[in-house]
Amino acid sequence: MLALRWIFWLTAAVLLLCIPLTGERFYIYLAIQVLVLALFAMGFNLLFGYTGLLSFGHAGFYAAGAYAAGLLLMRTPLSLLSSILGGALFAGALGAVIGFFCVRRTRIYFAMLTLAFGMMVYALAFDWRSVTGGDDGLIGIPRGALWLPGLGAVKMDALWAYYYLVLAITAAGVGVIHRVVHSPFGLVLQGIRENENRAAFAGVPVRRYRLAAFALSSFISGLAGAMVAPLENTVAPTVAHWTKSAAPVLATLLGGIHTFSGPMVGALLFYLIQEFIERLTEYWLLGFGLVLLILVLGFRGGVVGYYEAHLRPALWRRFS
Amino acid sequence: MTGAGHPDLLRTEGLRKHFGEVRAVDGVDLDLKEGVLTAVIGPNGAGKTTFINLLSGNLFPDAGRIFFLGEEITRLPVHLRVRRGLGRSFQITNVFPQLTVSRNIQLPLLSCLGTAWRFWKAVDASEEIHRRTEMILAEAGLEEKAHLPACILSHGDQRLLEVGIALAAKPRLILLDEPTAGMNPAERSRILKLIADLSAARRTTFVLIEHDMDVVFSLAQQIVVLHQGRILARGTPSVIREDARVRDIYLGGEIA
């Protein structure tokens, strides 16, 4: 069982490291998109799958990270990595403020509050022209160079070079989430998800933990968004639109809510399905909706959840 | 907790809670000493569960005050009462269903040791948490089931687990709301033995709401009878057994 898991992670790592070897800009670009959504969905699921709070406003934090990183790169001498981290920190701080209000409610009321705040971020991005550039957005964000100890400035102009940076940041972000969900803090979050009342009777200040989870989730989502600004060299208000908030929800549902790797697998599926259907029909959303319908109805718990509940036990019986 | 118990473990003054016209709790003055196992009884609708909810912080009273270990806790939030040593179980089983049995115990352990905010170390890294989890599981007789998700345990085991969760928070006082409800005889004797043992060892003081008079009279050192939101009688089991008013409200049936 343990071996199977290692084989899976090792294969994934080798494949991810080899993608730039194809030399195809399209594949590298697509892989970056998948990685960014994977991290975005992992951050989102910290709140959804682990704490039991469904946010419809995470595009707001994704966009906050993207805009802040873009502005830092354009207007300050900060390096590439510092700007991306700065973007994530800004998103985390925004999450702490917005979360302060949102965690006062749960379930549908919580979801509506996050939706409302998400739309406010969109309105700000659209209307605050002097800072955000309005509907044009930020244009001409430099990618800059990466300072590596021992190597000095490494140019990130080539897409494959930037790909490796995105891969490293995503891996680090996923590593952080992995440690957090297996820590006492992560256990408390799951306890709150399972039974809020019982958690309070276990001595847990429930609201404070929810706020901490909210801020951390916003930080990770902002980190994902921050990687997009130097990639595209531009950030437009569409990154803050509420439809963008649906992406991590869908990726998480596809992959599996109550599994660690579900959102990542879901992010991959999200883009694979999109690419595949786009080749068949221009109405890709229609096809996507159908696939989602089948997966949600047929594979409750997502693809990874289905694997863990049905396929892995079967494999285990066969090979042991 | 050894030696003489706290003389003023829990005290209420004029506690009152009304729901519209219904006076669920209507001026209750009660004081409890540490180490005295108390049963709260009364016919349906007497206000027992509301009373417990006021003590535990699920509800706030309309009037009156509550003191725990000499300090006022009338409007203290639940988690702070738990930190001070006031725990409870519920009438309807209330565990963390998808977490394993040992995780159910570890959560209150961590939170009451003040280490639950640690986010960079694995839960299993702490030797002390591990040791104390084992101890509580052994007391509740759930060692063999430590790695099962709580939701697949039998009803009786879930109730034992709930007492275990309450114990893990190191309580001075545990409120148990119908601990034996829905249990088969074997499960019932297990949980009663657990309560009796813990109480005899002076680990914690129990207050329980119970309908089963066999349980009440075999376990309790003190009985409080609630009727229409007020204390009708209070005393040792033998005194209560002889009380004419108590016989009246129970129509002489169960208590005879």
Side-chain angles (χ1 to χ4, degrees):
Chain A
M1 189 65 43
L2 215 59
L4 261 178
R5 175 167 293 181
W6 281 108
I7 291 170
F8 170 79
W9 285 108
L10 209 66
T11 315
V14 170
L15 282 177
L16 284 167
L17 285 169
C18 288
I19 282 174
L21 300 181
T22 62
E24 289 272 351
R25 275 186 67 84
F26 172 74
Y27 288 128
I28 302 173
Y29 183 76
L30 189 64
I32 292 177
Q33 299 288 333
V34 171
L35 287 173
V36 168
L37 179 60
L39 187 61
F40 186 18
M42 287 296 282
F44 162 83
N45 201 41
L46 202 57
L47 204 53
F48 183 38
Y50 284 93
T51 319
L53 294 170
L54 171 55
S55 162
F56 279 132
H58 260 47
F61 307 114
Y62 181 84
Y67 271 99
L71 285 169
L72 288 172
L73 282 166
M74 287 167 78
R75 303 202 181 156
T76 70
L78 280 180
S79 74
L80 177 60
L81 199 56
S82 313
S83 300
I84 290 176
L85 270 177
L89 284 172
F90 176 73
L94 184 69
V97 174
I98 290 178
F100 177 80
F101 297 100
C102 293
V103 299
R104 274 149 212 284
R105 296 285 177 271
T106 55
R107 292 182 290 264
I108 187 71
Y109 306 100
F110 173 86
M112 290 302 112
L113 281 173
T114 54
L115 182 63
F117 276 111
M119 288 168 128
M120 281 157 69
V121 173
Y122 176 73
L124 265 180
F126 204 89
D127 293 331
W128 197 7
R129 297 196 73 89
S130 58
V131 174
T132 63
D135 55 351
D136 296 331
L138 302 175
I139 296 166
I141 300 166
R143 202 176 286 167
L146 184 70
W147 283 93
L148 284 181
L151 288 172
V154 180
K155 277 194 178 292
M156 285 285 127
D157 297 336
L159 194 62
W160 66 265
Y162 192 66
Y163 168 83
Y164 282 117
L165 178 64
V166 170
L167 182 59
I169 292 175
T170 304
V174 171
V176 167
I177 295 173
H178 189 268
R179 282 204 80 142
V180 167
V181 301
H182 291 92
S183 71
F185 177 74
L187 176 60
V188 170
L189 295 187
Q190 291 170 65
I192 291 172
R193 173 196 76 202
E194 291 290 302
N195 192 335
E196 180 184 345
N197 192 19
R198 183 75 257 184
F201 275 101
V204 172
V206 171
R207 204 179 272 174
R208 235 176 290 164
Y209 273 85
R210 281 193 170 131
L211 178 57
F214 197 103
L216 184 60
S217 171
S218 308
F219 171 82
I220 299 285
S221 303
L223 184 61
M227 295 192 291
V228 174
L231 169 72
E232 310 276 10
N233 304 115
T234 164
V235 178
T238 45
V239 294
H241 197 252
W242 64 272
T243 49
K244 185 76 193 170
S245 294
V249 183
L250 295 178
T252 303
L253 286 175
L254 281 173
I257 306 170
H258 294 311
T259 58
F260 179 75
S261 58
M264 293 188 279
V265 175
L268 175 65
L269 287 174
F270 184 91
Y271 278 106
L272 287 183
I273 296 169
Q274 181 177 339
E275 284 304 319
F276 181 71
I277 299 175
E278 261 180 347
R279 276 161 211 214
L280 300 177
T281 163
E282 59 182 298
Y283 304 110
W284 81 272
L285 265 173
L286 189 68
F288 190 82
L290 276 174
V291 172
L292 196 71
L293 201 68
I294 293 165
L295 282 174
V296 170
L297 288 176
F299 296 80
R300 280 186 55 189
V303 173
V304 180
Y306 185 82
Y307 164 76
E308 285 184 354
H310 301 284
L311 296 180
R312 193 165 65 187
L315 282 174
W316 186 235
R317 275 195 299 276
R318 184 140 200 194
F319 293 114
S320 61
Chain B
M1 259 175 280
T2 48
H6 201 290
D8 193 18
L9 182 64
L10 186 87
R11 181 156 50 85
T12 69
E13 288 176 359
L15 210 55
R16 205 178 293 277
K17 181 76 185 175
H18 296 181
F19 300 104
E21 292 294 300
V22 181
R23 299 173 169 193
V25 173
D26 197 22
V28 170
D29 299 295
L30 183 68
D31 57 286
L32 299 174
K33 278 204 246 324
E34 191 153 36
V36 180
L37 201 159
T38 305
V40 177
I41 66 171
N44 281 327
K48 304 183 296 287
T49 295
T50 305
F51 181 58
I52 293 282
N53 281 339
L54 292 174
L55 298 184
S56 67
N58 286 64
L59 295 173
F60 289 151
D62 297 331
R65 306 208 289 172
I66 308 169
F67 297 87
F68 184 63
L69 298 168
E71 289 176 59
E72 179 161 7
I73 58 160
T74 312
R75 295 195 168 262
L76 204 64
V78 166
H79 71 272
L80 294 179
R81 295 184 200 220
V82 175
R83 297 274 178 94
R84 290 188 186 196
L86 177 57
R88 79 168 286 182
S89 79
F90 292 84
Q91 196 170 355
I92 295 158
T93 308
N94 209 340
V95 296
F96 302 109
Q98 300 293 328
L99 303 184
T100 64
V101 169
S102 48
R103 291 283 190 245
N104 266 269
I105 301 291
Q106 282 161 353
L107 205 158
L109 278 177
L110 288 161
S111 126
C112 291
L113 280 175
T115 54
W117 279 102
R118 288 188 191 162
F119 63 91
W120 205 242
K121 264 199 155 149
V123 175
D124 301 316
S126 163
E127 190 58 41
E128 170 161 25
I129 294 290
H130 183 70
R131 197 174 47 77
R132 289 174 59 175
T133 309
E134 302 265 290
M135 200 184 86
I136 290 170
L137 287 178
E139 276 172 342
L142 293 169
E143 314 98 304
E144 316 251 299
K145 290 154 186 155
H147 298 292
L148 300 177
C151 57
I152 68 170
L153 297 185
S154 71
H155 176 72
D157 281 343
Q158 289 196 16
R159 303 231 54 152
L160 280 164
L161 176 59
E162 220 196 316
V163 176
I165 296 173
L167 277 178
K170 273 204 166 176
R172 303 272 298 258
L173 173 65
I174 301 188
L175 311 165
L176 299 176
D177 195 352
E178 297 199 30
T180 67
M183 282 188 162
N184 66 38
E187 292 170 337
R188 176 183 306 236
S189 61
R190 269 174 72 202
I191 198 162
L192 293 179
K193 182 170 183 318
L194 175 65
I195 294 170
D197 287 352
L198 290 167
S199 187
R202 289 281 188 133
R203 279 271 305 281
T204 182
T205 304
F206 288 96
V207 171
L208 47 110
I209 292 182
E210 190 50 75
H211 276 300
D212 187 318
M213 290 303 147
D214 289 338
V215 171
V216 169
F217 283 96
S218 66
L219 210 56
Q221 293 160 301
Q222 169 179 244
I223 296 176
V224 174
V225 186
L226 280 185
H227 184 49
Q228 296 178 346
R230 293 162 183 269
I231 295 182
L232 181 78
R234 172 187 176 175
T236 59
S238 52
V239 169
I240 295 297
R241 205 191 291 271
E242 300 307 322
D243 192 300
R245 293 165 305 166
V246 178
R247 280 168 177 267
D248 274 351
I249 62 164
Y250 277 102
L251 296 169
E254 273 184 282
I255 284 196

